[in-house]
Amino acid sequence: GNAGDWVGLFPAAAADSGAARLRYYYLNGTGSLPTTGVTSATLPTSAPLTAGQYEWRLFANNGWSRIATSGVITVSASPATISVNGMTTPVTVAPGSAITAQLADGPGNPTDWVAFAAHSASNSERIDWRYLNGSGTPPPTGLTSATLSFTAPTTPGTYELRLFPNNGIERLVTSALITVGSSLSTPTLSISSGTYTSDQA
């Protein structure tokens, strides 16, 4: 019943530490300290995005004195996939060309979104993005599949598409690499000099 009592999500084998903690809530369901304590609470949350075994731990009064531990929660790998122009293997596209992203087996939250980003970029960096209805406004209900259109950058390099659930920036799945090549050069044809008959190669 302390105002500073809190719960944290940890990998099941991890030590009690801030470095291992994946997320936390006070018993009011937020990260802000409540004015009064409670002795029971229901806290809606979501499963981690990485497959593995996890547990929730209850700690007393803003400290690291563990009071209770939940049962082990096993999270399986996401079945979601993103294909690019119908391919799930690396693709090469021309600068400025159209790219079709096809999402399948997504988690189905209304605010799931797909980002187009450089391969080396952090999760908070992106060139373009869409909710799964293809716009910047989320759909009224969640979608588990979608076909989205993007435009390849004009700068050659390596890029990818990324799926993020629930308006977050924790990546759930990534497409195969998209290589934007240099502009195609004009082909040339050379013929060696000589005298030929009409049927001679």
Side-chain angles (χ1 to χ4, degrees):
N2 307 296
D5 293 344
W6 62 280
V7 293
L9 178 66
F10 293 80
D16 292 339
S17 70
R21 182 180 65 195
L22 302 176
R23 63 186 75 153
Y24 79 95
Y25 305 97
Y26 290 109
L27 300 193
N28 62 356
T30 75
S32 300
L33 184 70
T35 55
T36 58
V38 296
T39 58
S40 63
T42 299
L43 308 174
T45 186
S46 57
L49 302 187
T50 303
Q53 293 188 317
Y54 303 87
E55 60 192 17
W56 287 95
R57 301 171 185 175
L58 172 64
F59 297 90
N61 207 24
N62 262 337
W64 289 99
S65 177
R66 194 196 306 189
I67 300 170
T69 307
S70 74
V72 172
I73 304 159
T74 300
V75 177
S76 58
S78 171
T81 59
I82 303 174
S83 62
V84 180
N85 295 345
M87 305 288 290
T88 56
T89 53
V91 298
T92 298
V93 299
S97 63
I99 294 174
T100 300
Q102 294 170 307
L103 171 71
D105 297 318
N109 306 297
T111 53
D112 295 341
W113 59 286
V114 172
F116 186 91
H119 173 60
S120 60
S122 69
N123 283 346
S124 62
E125 299 175 294
R126 57 188 177 272
I127 297 167
D128 198 2
W129 71 280
R130 310 271 190 281
Y131 286 115
L132 301 193
N133 60 356
S135 78
T137 302
T141 58
L143 301 170
T144 59
S145 62
T147 300
L148 305 172
S149 297
F150 293 90
T151 301
T154 56
T155 303
T158 305
Y159 302 87
E160 62 195 17
L161 292 157
R162 303 167 175 178
L163 172 64
F164 298 89
N166 288 324
N167 265 344
I169 57 168
E170 189 178 354
R171 194 188 317 181
L172 181 62
V173 69
T174 307
S175 73
L177 293 180
I178 303 165
T179 299
V180 176
S182 301
S183 298
L184 296 176
S185 58
T186 302
T188 59
L189 176 65
S190 61
I191 302 174
S192 59
S193 60
T195 302
Y196 302 91
T197 62
S198 60
D199 62 350
Q200 182 179 3

